[in-house]
Structure formats: C-alpha cells, structure tokens
Amino acid sequence: QMQLVESGGATVHPGGSLGLSCAASGFSLDHYAVSWFRQAPGKAREAVSCITFDGDSTYYSDSVKGRFTISRDNAKTTAYLQMNRLNPEDTALYYCAAGQPILSQLRLETGYWYWGQGTQVTVSS
C-alpha cells in the first residue's frame, strides 16, 4: 500500500522549533515533488513549502520564508520540514503530499497524488 506518514507535530511555545518528517512507504519518493500544506481551523488549506524531485527548486510561502526549511533524503524516502521561530499563526494541521506537478504549479494541490493524514502543530504560550 502506497502511503505517506507524517510525524513530529507537537505543542510548542512561540519562538520554538519543530521538525516534521514525511515518510513514504510502498513507493519511492525519487520521482516525486514533495510539498507541505497546512490547514488552520476555519481556513483553507495552503501550501507552505515545496521541493522538486531532485531538490533543485524549492518554494516557500511568504509567511514562512526565512523560518522554515524543506529538505529531502531520497535514499530514506523521507522529506522534512524544519520550522523555526514558530508563532501562533503557524498553528495548523500539517500535511505532506507527493506528486508530479509542473514547476510553475508546484504549490497547487491538484498536482499531488499521495497525501498523508496530517500531523498537528500547535503554537501556544
């Protein structure tokens, strides 16, 4: 069975850091772009960060640029999202997704075929 499993979500204080992982099972991530999306209560799901299959190109939303870092280890079929200087606006359910979107549409959900179940990140004092 092909699936993605996220881990690393937790509750942290403002200014804290978290590292999320996205592990693929049943298939290899080598040929897929990977993106992290998040959905806060009452809000639409949004792309946070994306990375191409070879890691050569990345995307960050304006709200996380400079604070979050996406990476991948194809040998381990795992992608990561390192989140620093977290603030309460980062509170959301974080999903990873894998697919083959064209470069210009890297942040659009439509290009992704495999989705994880999500991991909760809560930033609260």
PDB file of all heavy atoms in Angstrom, residues 64-84:
ATOM      1  N   VAL A  64       6.235  31.963   5.782  1.00  0.00           N
ATOM      2  CA  VAL A  64       7.215  31.088   6.440  1.00  0.00           C
ATOM      3  C   VAL A  64       8.624  31.286   5.912  1.00  0.00           C
ATOM      4  O   VAL A  64       9.584  30.725   6.464  1.00  0.00           O
ATOM      5  CB  VAL A  64       6.833  29.600   6.312  1.00  0.00           C
ATOM      6  CG1 VAL A  64       5.410  29.371   6.782  1.00  0.00           C
ATOM      7  CG2 VAL A  64       7.041  29.078   4.902  1.00  0.00           C
ATOM      8  N   LYS A  65       8.764  32.090   4.872  1.00  0.00           N
ATOM      9  CA  LYS A  65      10.076  32.293   4.258  1.00  0.00           C
ATOM     10  C   LYS A  65      11.069  32.815   5.290  1.00  0.00           C
ATOM     11  O   LYS A  65      10.766  33.740   6.046  1.00  0.00           O
ATOM     12  CB  LYS A  65       9.944  33.281   3.101  1.00  0.00           C
ATOM     13  CG  LYS A  65      11.067  33.218   2.083  1.00  0.00           C
ATOM     14  CD  LYS A  65      10.714  34.081   0.868  1.00  0.00           C
ATOM     15  CE  LYS A  65       9.531  33.534   0.108  1.00  0.00           C
ATOM     16  NZ  LYS A  65       9.212  34.323  -1.101  1.00  0.00           N
ATOM     17  N   GLY A  66      12.222  32.197   5.345  1.00  0.00           N
ATOM     18  CA  GLY A  66      13.240  32.611   6.298  1.00  0.00           C
ATOM     19  C   GLY A  66      13.141  31.902   7.639  1.00  0.00           C
ATOM     20  O   GLY A  66      14.057  31.986   8.465  1.00  0.00           O
ATOM     21  N   ARG A  67      12.039  31.212   7.867  1.00  0.00           N
ATOM     22  CA  ARG A  67      11.860  30.492   9.142  1.00  0.00           C
ATOM     23  C   ARG A  67      11.802  28.981   8.952  1.00  0.00           C
ATOM     24  O   ARG A  67      12.219  28.229   9.836  1.00  0.00           O
ATOM     25  CB  ARG A  67      10.567  30.954   9.840  1.00  0.00           C
ATOM     26  CG  ARG A  67      10.536  32.427  10.162  1.00  0.00           C
ATOM     27  CD  ARG A  67       9.303  32.767  11.011  1.00  0.00           C
ATOM     28  NE  ARG A  67       8.049  32.503  10.305  1.00  0.00           N
ATOM     29  CZ  ARG A  67       7.093  31.683  10.742  1.00  0.00           C
ATOM     30  NH1 ARG A  67       7.243  31.041  11.891  1.00  0.00           N
ATOM     31  NH2 ARG A  67       5.972  31.512  10.049  1.00  0.00           N
ATOM     32  N   PHE A  68      11.240  28.527   7.828  1.00  0.00           N
ATOM     33  CA  PHE A  68      11.075  27.106   7.564  1.00  0.00           C
ATOM     34  C   PHE A  68      12.074  26.672   6.498  1.00  0.00           C
ATOM     35  O   PHE A  68      12.423  27.447   5.603  1.00  0.00           O
ATOM     36  CB  PHE A  68       9.666  26.810   7.047  1.00  0.00           C
ATOM     37  CG  PHE A  68       8.567  26.946   8.070  1.00  0.00           C
ATOM     38  CD1 PHE A  68       8.777  27.557   9.302  1.00  0.00           C
ATOM     39  CD2 PHE A  68       7.302  26.455   7.787  1.00  0.00           C
ATOM     40  CE1 PHE A  68       7.752  27.675  10.218  1.00  0.00           C
ATOM     41  CE2 PHE A  68       6.266  26.564   8.698  1.00  0.00           C
ATOM     42  CZ  PHE A  68       6.495  27.184   9.905  1.00  0.00           C
ATOM     43  N   THR A  69      12.498  25.423   6.589  1.00  0.00           N
ATOM     44  CA  THR A  69      13.392  24.845   5.593  1.00  0.00           C
ATOM     45  C   THR A  69      12.901  23.461   5.207  1.00  0.00           C
ATOM     46  O   THR A  69      12.693  22.609   6.091  1.00  0.00           O
ATOM     47  CB  THR A  69      14.827  24.732   6.126  1.00  0.00           C
ATOM     48  OG1 THR A  69      15.289  26.023   6.541  1.00  0.00           O
ATOM     49  CG2 THR A  69      15.759  24.191   5.044  1.00  0.00           C
ATOM     50  N   ILE A  70      12.711  23.256   3.909  1.00  0.00           N
ATOM     51  CA  ILE A  70      12.294  21.950   3.412  1.00  0.00           C
ATOM     52  C   ILE A  70      13.519  21.215   2.890  1.00  0.00           C
ATOM     53  O   ILE A  70      14.440  21.832   2.335  1.00  0.00           O
ATOM     54  CB  ILE A  70      11.212  22.091   2.321  1.00  0.00           C
ATOM     55  CG1 ILE A  70      10.570  20.741   2.022  1.00  0.00           C
ATOM     56  CG2 ILE A  70      11.766  22.751   1.065  1.00  0.00           C
ATOM     57  CD1 ILE A  70       9.330  20.843   1.122  1.00  0.00           C
ATOM     58  N   SER A  71      13.524  19.911   3.070  1.00  0.00           N
ATOM     59  CA  SER A  71      14.622  19.105   2.558  1.00  0.00           C
ATOM     60  C   SER A  71      14.098  17.695   2.291  1.00  0.00           C
ATOM     61  O   SER A  71      12.960  17.368   2.658  1.00  0.00           O
ATOM     62  CB  SER A  71      15.791  19.066   3.547  1.00  0.00           C
ATOM     63  OG  SER A  71      15.385  18.492   4.776  1.00  0.00           O
ATOM     64  N   ARG A  72      14.939  16.898   1.681  1.00  0.00           N
ATOM     65  CA  ARG A  72      14.529  15.524   1.386  1.00  0.00           C
ATOM     66  C   ARG A  72      15.748  14.630   1.367  1.00  0.00           C
ATOM     67  O   ARG A  72      16.865  15.075   1.073  1.00  0.00           O
ATOM     68  CB  ARG A  72      13.785  15.457   0.055  1.00  0.00           C
ATOM     69  CG  ARG A  72      14.609  15.848  -1.149  1.00  0.00           C
ATOM     70  CD  ARG A  72      13.725  15.933  -2.407  1.00  0.00           C
ATOM     71  NE  ARG A  72      13.125  14.634  -2.682  1.00  0.00           N
ATOM     72  CZ  ARG A  72      11.982  14.491  -3.352  1.00  0.00           C
ATOM     73  NH1 ARG A  72      11.329  15.548  -3.799  1.00  0.00           N
ATOM     74  NH2 ARG A  72      11.503  13.293  -3.572  1.00  0.00           N
ATOM     75  N   ASP A  73      15.513  13.377   1.662  1.00  0.00           N
ATOM     76  CA  ASP A  73      16.552  12.351   1.584  1.00  0.00           C
ATOM     77  C   ASP A  73      15.946  11.207   0.802  1.00  0.00           C
ATOM     78  O   ASP A  73      15.224  10.369   1.354  1.00  0.00           O
ATOM     79  CB  ASP A  73      16.969  11.912   2.995  1.00  0.00           C
ATOM     80  CG  ASP A  73      18.108  10.906   2.979  1.00  0.00           C
ATOM     81  OD1 ASP A  73      18.329  10.266   1.927  1.00  0.00           O
ATOM     82  OD2 ASP A  73      18.782  10.770   4.010  1.00  0.00           O
ATOM     83  N   ASN A  74      16.206  11.183  -0.491  1.00  0.00           N
ATOM     84  CA  ASN A  74      15.572  10.166  -1.336  1.00  0.00           C
ATOM     85  C   ASN A  74      16.006   8.750  -0.960  1.00  0.00           C
ATOM     86  O   ASN A  74      15.240   7.800  -1.112  1.00  0.00           O
ATOM     87  CB  ASN A  74      15.865  10.444  -2.810  1.00  0.00           C
ATOM     88  CG  ASN A  74      15.054  11.615  -3.337  1.00  0.00           C
ATOM     89  OD1 ASN A  74      14.077  12.036  -2.727  1.00  0.00           O
ATOM     90  ND2 ASN A  74      15.470  12.156  -4.464  1.00  0.00           N
ATOM     91  N   ALA A  75      17.205   8.625  -0.457  1.00  0.00           N
ATOM     92  CA  ALA A  75      17.662   7.297  -0.042  1.00  0.00           C
ATOM     93  C   ALA A  75      16.801   6.760   1.101  1.00  0.00           C
ATOM     94  O   ALA A  75      16.606   5.551   1.238  1.00  0.00           O
ATOM     95  CB  ALA A  75      19.123   7.359   0.374  1.00  0.00           C
ATOM     96  N   LYS A  76      16.292   7.666   1.912  1.00  0.00           N
ATOM     97  CA  LYS A  76      15.457   7.269   3.037  1.00  0.00           C
ATOM     98  C   LYS A  76      13.970   7.439   2.734  1.00  0.00           C
ATOM     99  O   LYS A  76      13.132   7.244   3.611  1.00  0.00           O
ATOM    100  CB  LYS A  76      15.817   8.091   4.284  1.00  0.00           C
ATOM    101  CG  LYS A  76      17.222   7.844   4.793  1.00  0.00           C
ATOM    102  CD  LYS A  76      17.495   8.651   6.063  1.00  0.00           C
ATOM    103  CE  LYS A  76      18.887   8.390   6.592  1.00  0.00           C
ATOM    104  NZ  LYS A  76      19.174   9.179   7.815  1.00  0.00           N
ATOM    105  N   THR A  77      13.676   7.823   1.484  1.00  0.00           N
ATOM    106  CA  THR A  77      12.280   8.085   1.063  1.00  0.00           C
ATOM    107  C   THR A  77      11.556   8.933   2.100  1.00  0.00           C
ATOM    108  O   THR A  77      10.410   8.667   2.478  1.00  0.00           O
ATOM    109  CB  THR A  77      11.490   6.773   0.807  1.00  0.00           C
ATOM    110  OG1 THR A  77      11.382   6.035   2.019  1.00  0.00           O
ATOM    111  CG2 THR A  77      12.154   5.926  -0.251  1.00  0.00           C
ATOM    112  N   THR A  78      12.225   9.978   2.537  1.00  0.00           N
ATOM    113  CA  THR A  78      11.674  10.847   3.561  1.00  0.00           C
ATOM    114  C   THR A  78      11.923  12.305   3.205  1.00  0.00           C
ATOM    115  O   THR A  78      12.989  12.644   2.685  1.00  0.00           O
ATOM    116  CB  THR A  78      12.296  10.536   4.930  1.00  0.00           C
ATOM    117  OG1 THR A  78      12.068   9.160   5.251  1.00  0.00           O
ATOM    118  CG2 THR A  78      11.674  11.399   6.033  1.00  0.00           C
ATOM    119  N   ALA A  79      10.942  13.122   3.501  1.00  0.00           N
ATOM    120  CA  ALA A  79      11.094  14.565   3.350  1.00  0.00           C
ATOM    121  C   ALA A  79      10.910  15.211   4.720  1.00  0.00           C
ATOM    122  O   ALA A  79      10.303  14.621   5.619  1.00  0.00           O
ATOM    123  CB  ALA A  79      10.083  15.115   2.355  1.00  0.00           C
ATOM    124  N   TYR A  80      11.447  16.400   4.845  1.00  0.00           N
ATOM    125  CA  TYR A  80      11.451  17.053   6.148  1.00  0.00           C
ATOM    126  C   TYR A  80      11.008  18.509   6.031  1.00  0.00           C
ATOM    127  O   TYR A  80      11.151  19.135   4.979  1.00  0.00           O
ATOM    128  CB  TYR A  80      12.863  17.016   6.747  1.00  0.00           C
ATOM    129  CG  TYR A  80      13.475  15.648   6.799  1.00  0.00           C
ATOM    130  CD1 TYR A  80      14.291  15.196   5.757  1.00  0.00           C
ATOM    131  CD2 TYR A  80      13.241  14.793   7.867  1.00  0.00           C
ATOM    132  CE1 TYR A  80      14.854  13.936   5.791  1.00  0.00           C
ATOM    133  CE2 TYR A  80      13.810  13.524   7.907  1.00  0.00           C
ATOM    134  CZ  TYR A  80      14.606  13.108   6.861  1.00  0.00           C
ATOM    135  OH  TYR A  80      15.168  11.850   6.901  1.00  0.00           O
ATOM    136  N   LEU A  81      10.519  19.020   7.128  1.00  0.00           N
ATOM    137  CA  LEU A  81      10.233  20.450   7.224  1.00  0.00           C
ATOM    138  C   LEU A  81      10.720  20.922   8.585  1.00  0.00           C
ATOM    139  O   LEU A  81      10.165  20.544   9.622  1.00  0.00           O
ATOM    140  CB  LEU A  81       8.736  20.738   7.076  1.00  0.00           C
ATOM    141  CG  LEU A  81       8.371  22.221   7.045  1.00  0.00           C
ATOM    142  CD1 LEU A  81       8.891  22.862   5.748  1.00  0.00           C
ATOM    143  CD2 LEU A  81       6.864  22.418   7.154  1.00  0.00           C
ATOM    144  N   GLN A  82      11.780  21.698   8.576  1.00  0.00           N
ATOM    145  CA  GLN A  82      12.299  22.276   9.809  1.00  0.00           C
ATOM    146  C   GLN A  82      11.651  23.643  10.001  1.00  0.00           C
ATOM    147  O   GLN A  82      11.730  24.495   9.130  1.00  0.00           O
ATOM    148  CB  GLN A  82      13.819  22.423   9.747  1.00  0.00           C
ATOM    149  CG  GLN A  82      14.426  23.063  10.985  1.00  0.00           C
ATOM    150  CD  GLN A  82      14.209  22.238  12.237  1.00  0.00           C
ATOM    151  OE1 GLN A  82      14.249  21.005  12.207  1.00  0.00           O
ATOM    152  NE2 GLN A  82      13.973  22.916  13.364  1.00  0.00           N
ATOM    153  N   MET A  83      11.020  23.817  11.148  1.00  0.00           N
ATOM    154  CA  MET A  83      10.264  25.040  11.419  1.00  0.00           C
ATOM    155  C   MET A  83      10.873  25.749  12.622  1.00  0.00           C
ATOM    156  O   MET A  83      10.918  25.176  13.712  1.00  0.00           O
ATOM    157  CB  MET A  83       8.795  24.697  11.688  1.00  0.00           C
ATOM    158  CG  MET A  83       8.156  23.871  10.594  1.00  0.00           C
ATOM    159  SD  MET A  83       6.400  23.577  10.864  1.00  0.00           S
ATOM    160  CE  MET A  83       6.471  22.562  12.331  1.00  0.00           C
ATOM    161  N   ASN A  84      11.341  26.955  12.401  1.00  0.00           N
ATOM    162  CA  ASN A  84      11.956  27.754  13.464  1.00  0.00           C
ATOM    163  C   ASN A  84      11.141  29.015  13.717  1.00  0.00           C
ATOM    164  O   ASN A  84      10.346  29.432  12.882  1.00  0.00           O
ATOM    165  CB  ASN A  84      13.388  28.126  13.088  1.00  0.00           C
ATOM    166  CG  ASN A  84      14.274  26.920  12.899  1.00  0.00           C
ATOM    167  OD1 ASN A  84      14.122  25.897  13.578  1.00  0.00           O
ATOM    168  ND2 ASN A  84      15.218  27.009  11.972  1.00  0.00           N
TER     169      ASN A  84
END
